[in-house]
Amino acid sequence: MDIRPLSETYAVSPQIALEDLEAIRDAGYRAVIDNRPDAEIPDELHTGAMRAQAEALGLAFFANPVIGGALTMQNVTAQAEAIAAAPGPVLAYCASGNRSSIVWALSQAGTRPAAELIAAAAQHGYQLAHLAPQIEALAAQKSAS
């Protein structure tokens, strides 16, 4: 398990295993967001198994499968809603942490400058600079509504 904090309340990780969930809870995370579609992973890591184990440990669990190269606004909205509903710090995971970083940055548009969101991800090797125009456009939409 490789936890990479992007903010005080949100971290990403490459794929986690069932046995990692206890350590995630013990590290202070209170919610887990699964950004990985079941079709990409072995049966034992499917959403249902991960949810059951997380909830048995007292963690909130949210499934928001993001298909590589096919991110939707529904994914962005679902990520924002999961973060807002989480009872404490969130750990989101996918194959490498990249999709969890991208959907986070887009979901947080307007809460912090785009450059800060991009820099937070870059500290852990996630290159999101190409998303700056999208983050800024989403922030403008939020401020207009």
Side-chain angles (χ1 to χ4, degrees), residues 10 33 64 71-84 99-112 117 131 134-135 138-139 142:
Y10 186 91
I33 301 175
N64 181 23
L71 176 74
T72 67
M73 276 309 297
Q74 182 178 350
N75 289 130
V76 173
T77 301
Q79 199 82 357
E81 290 171 352
I83 292 167
R99 283 177 276 182
S100 295
S101 296
I102 290 169
V103 73
W104 168 78
L106 293 169
S107 76
Q108 298 304 295
T111 65
R112 295 168 52 190
L117 297 169
L131 295 176
Q134 291 169 295
I135 294 169
L138 287 169
K142 288 179 182 179

Side-chain angles (χ1 to χ4, degrees), residues 36-101:
R36 195 136 193 226
D38 282 347
E40 295 181 2
I41 51 180
D43 291 348
E44 66 270 13
L45 298 176
H46 279 192
T47 299
M50 298 299 280
R51 178 187 305 278
Q53 181 67 12
E55 290 177 350
L57 292 166
L59 292 164
F61 186 91
F62 304 91
N64 181 23
V66 176
I67 296 170
L71 176 74
T72 67
M73 276 309 297
Q74 182 178 350
N75 289 130
V76 173
T77 301
Q79 199 82 357
E81 290 171 352
I83 292 167
V90 173
L91 176 86
Y93 69 91
C94 59
S96 68
N98 191 55
R99 283 177 276 182
S100 295
S101 296

